[in-house]
Amino acid sequence: MRINYKRELEDAARTMILVHKPNTLIRLILRMIVRKVRVEHAGILLYEKSRDCFIVTITRGQIGSKIPAGLVRLDKHSPIIRFFNDSNNFPLLERGALLLSKINAILSDRDFFSGKEELEKLIIAIKFQMKSFDTVVCVPAYYRDNLLGILMLGEKVNKKTFKREELDFFNALANDVAMALRNAFLFEDLQLEIERNRKLFLETTMALSAAIDAKDHYTRGHTMRVTEYSLAMCRYIIADSSKNLDAKFLDDLHVASLLHDVGKIGVPEAILCKKGELTDEERKKINEHCVIGAMILEPIKALDEVILGVKYHHERFDGSGYPEGLKGEAIPYIASIISVADSYDAMTTDRPYRGAFTKDQAMVEIERCAGTQFNPYLVRVLAALYKRGEL
Ligand SMILES: [Fe+2]
């Protein structure tokens, strides 16, 4: 049966748009080559940036005849790689492919290598490599001038030679592979860059939160513990799936927990660290830290949700909190979580005005305040974590 290569290529192109993972796409392409052109086996050597070498990544074909994936690793000094990395060798290609039959032909031509001993040595070494891979056709995949991969094909099942249109077909597929790889590399770089920026942002935020803790001696380590408790609660809630919280919420909660007391920068240390009882005026000043924190973060547009957590983490479920006296579900959820985590840590650590509660005592107190100070569901979440020994 004659194959309509143009249609096959169009199908491959359509698949490429749908498949974003290059390995999946390459697997599809190799399967197509094996099935449609009926070659015994097809494999691909792919460039791996981290190891700076080419590795047989994916193979297709009958068991026993295919090249074992992962076993073959070639660096840039390897004959096949050297050959395809040098454009002076391109005249030896047939329709963009290096054929074992062509190698055999030029090696038996006495005059071909006169004055070109280096090339002769290279070609002999390539012949040896291709034979060891049981490969009769190598098709390079380039993006711009960079060699990204080499398709390696075994013989046709019917042992006939490859036709022109088949070689063109392989060449077009190799280009598809190169494009897919290039896109994947770009995507990977972008992901790494995003991850690096995210890490940098979190580390900067942590440094800032440590600076806040340092200002308020009694709360040393407070921010990190609140963050740990908040995140544990959030993960529990996500697993409990009673609320629709996503990864973005978890990220926002992480940052909001780290920054929940950032507004204390604007409260004098003499008040923050005062040992005796606070006057009404001093209490008012401390309470302002929520609003000051929100004002500090306000210019950063991406922190909208975070700001809600910072601003409202001292609201109470019954509406008697500050700064706005929000009640029940009107309190942003992110703030309600921080409120429980913050209070639990405050109770279990020494404060200027009292010693620490035991964890047991703190849990009793928090459960007593379910529905008044705290969102009752979140108290149940904290209690569940406590029972599991995760606090
Ligand atoms: Fe606070």
Side-chain angles (χ1 to χ4, degrees):
M1 194 180 71
R2 225 180 137 69
I3 308 161
N4 184 338
Y5 287 106
K6 190 165 172 287
R7 190 184 309 149
E8 296 298 341
L9 285 174
E10 282 165 6
D11 283 353
R14 256 194 300 279
T15 312
M16 257 186 84
I17 296 165
L18 297 174
V19 179
H20 296 292
K21 288 189 179 148
N23 279 5
T24 313
L25 181 80
I26 291 165
R27 208 167 275 132
L28 285 170
I29 286 178
L30 293 179
R31 193 162 58 198
M32 187 158 77
I33 291 174
V34 168
R35 285 192 185 161
K36 303 274 176 187
V37 190
R38 304 206 23 93
V39 299
E40 284 182 342
H41 59 87
I44 188 157
L45 274 169
L46 288 183
Y47 179 63
E48 208 165 288
K49 222 199 283 182
S50 58
R51 296 188 232 183
D52 192 24
C53 67
F54 288 78
I55 295 176
V56 172
T57 312
I58 307 163
T59 62
R60 275 274 168 265
Q62 292 156 355
I63 295 167
S65 64
K66 66 177 187 177
I67 309 157
L71 283 183
V72 180
R73 193 174 296 182
L74 306 180
D75 68 14
K76 59 182 174 218
H77 305 294
S78 173
I80 286 186
I81 308 300
R82 264 168 53 210
F83 179 88
F84 284 118
N85 267 332
D86 184 352
S87 59
N88 290 322
N89 297 323
F90 292 178
L92 295 178
L93 303 180
E94 297 271 338
R95 320 292 297 174
L98 179 63
L99 308 178
L100 188 64
S101 55
K102 171 86 176 182
I103 288 179
N104 286 332
I106 56 174
L107 283 174
S108 58
D109 177 351
R110 285 192 183 174
D111 303 328
F112 189 85
F113 292 108
S114 65
K116 294 188 257 181
E117 285 72 25
E118 276 306 305
L119 181 63
E120 186 175 13
K121 266 194 243 164
L122 182 68
I123 296 295
I124 290 170
I126 291 172
K127 179 178 171 171
F128 180 75
Q129 271 190 316
M130 286 178 73
K131 286 211 158 228
S132 69
F133 298 146
D134 203 9
T135 293
V136 297
V137 180
C138 288
V139 191
Y142 296 96
Y143 181 79
R144 305 250 160 97
D145 289 332
N146 297 318
L147 179 66
L148 297 183
I150 302 174
L151 276 174
M152 300 199 301
L153 310 179
E155 274 191 293
K156 277 188 178 181
V157 175
N158 62 14
K159 307 290 177 197
K160 288 191 176 164
T161 52
F162 286 100
K163 286 181 254 168
R164 224 171 187 221
E165 55 180 358
E166 285 166 340
L167 296 177
D168 286 345
F169 181 57
F170 299 149
N171 209 0
L173 290 175
N175 282 332
D176 286 355
V177 168
M179 194 62 81
L181 289 174
R182 182 65 196 162
N183 288 345
F185 287 158
L186 285 176
F187 188 69
E188 237 173 63
D189 286 351
L190 195 67
Q191 291 290 102
L192 281 176
E193 188 61 27
I194 290 171
E195 196 42 47
R196 253 198 302 274
N197 282 338
R198 192 183 118 89
K199 205 164 154 246
L200 179 67
F201 172 65
L202 270 181
E203 283 167 358
T204 311
T205 309
M206 271 146 96
L208 184 58
S209 76
I212 306 156
D213 276 5
K215 186 174 161 131
D216 188 348
H217 303 298
Y218 281 92
T219 60
R220 192 153 303 217
H222 169 69
T223 308
M224 291 312 287
R225 289 190 301 272
V226 170
T227 304
E228 195 186 307
Y229 302 150
S230 292
L231 293 181
M233 288 174 71
C234 190
R235 290 195 186 101
Y236 181 97
I237 298 165
I238 290 172
D240 192 35
S241 74
S242 52
K243 293 272 188 292
N244 209 8
L245 304 184
D246 53 15
K248 159 90 170 60
F249 183 88
L250 189 74
D251 280 352
D252 285 338
L253 178 65
H254 193 170
V255 178
S257 303
L258 286 170
L259 295 178
H260 73 279
D261 275 344
V262 70
K264 283 188 177 170
I265 283 173
V267 180
E269 253 167 86
I271 302 176
L272 275 182
C273 304
K274 186 175 169 184
K275 291 221 160 103
E277 211 170 308
L278 296 170
T279 65
D280 286 351
E281 197 53 36
E282 288 164 339
R283 169 65 52 204
K284 215 176 121 214
K285 199 83 203 148
I286 285 191
N287 290 359
E288 280 172 7
H289 78 275
C290 306
V291 176
I292 296 172
M295 275 163 54
I296 290 171
L297 301 176
E298 208 191 344
I300 310 173
K301 284 285 159 260
L303 295 185
D304 280 2
E305 184 79 20
V306 170
I307 292 170
L308 294 177
V310 172
K311 188 168 181 181
Y312 298 113
H313 74 276
H314 283 289
E315 295 290 0
R316 295 167 60 116
F317 198 72
D318 61 7
S320 65
Y322 63 89
E324 290 178 14
L326 299 180
K327 204 171 174 176
E329 303 295 330
I331 304 166
Y333 207 57
I334 191 168
S336 298
I337 296 174
I338 296 172
S339 164
V340 175
D342 186 21
S343 301
Y344 176 77
D345 186 65
M347 286 178 198
T348 50
T349 49
D350 282 325
R351 287 292 154 115
Y353 39 91
R354 55 149 178 80
F357 279 6
T358 63
K359 288 181 179 182
D360 266 338
Q361 288 170 326
M363 274 317 304
V364 169
E365 180 60 13
I366 285 188
E367 280 178 326
R368 190 182 67 78
C369 298
T372 51
Q373 187 172 348
F374 307 116
N375 179 317
Y377 170 70
L378 294 176
V379 171
R380 287 201 296 279
V381 170
L382 191 79
L385 289 173
Y386 177 64
K387 275 189 202 120
R388 292 201 317 209
E390 290 178 23
L391 294 181

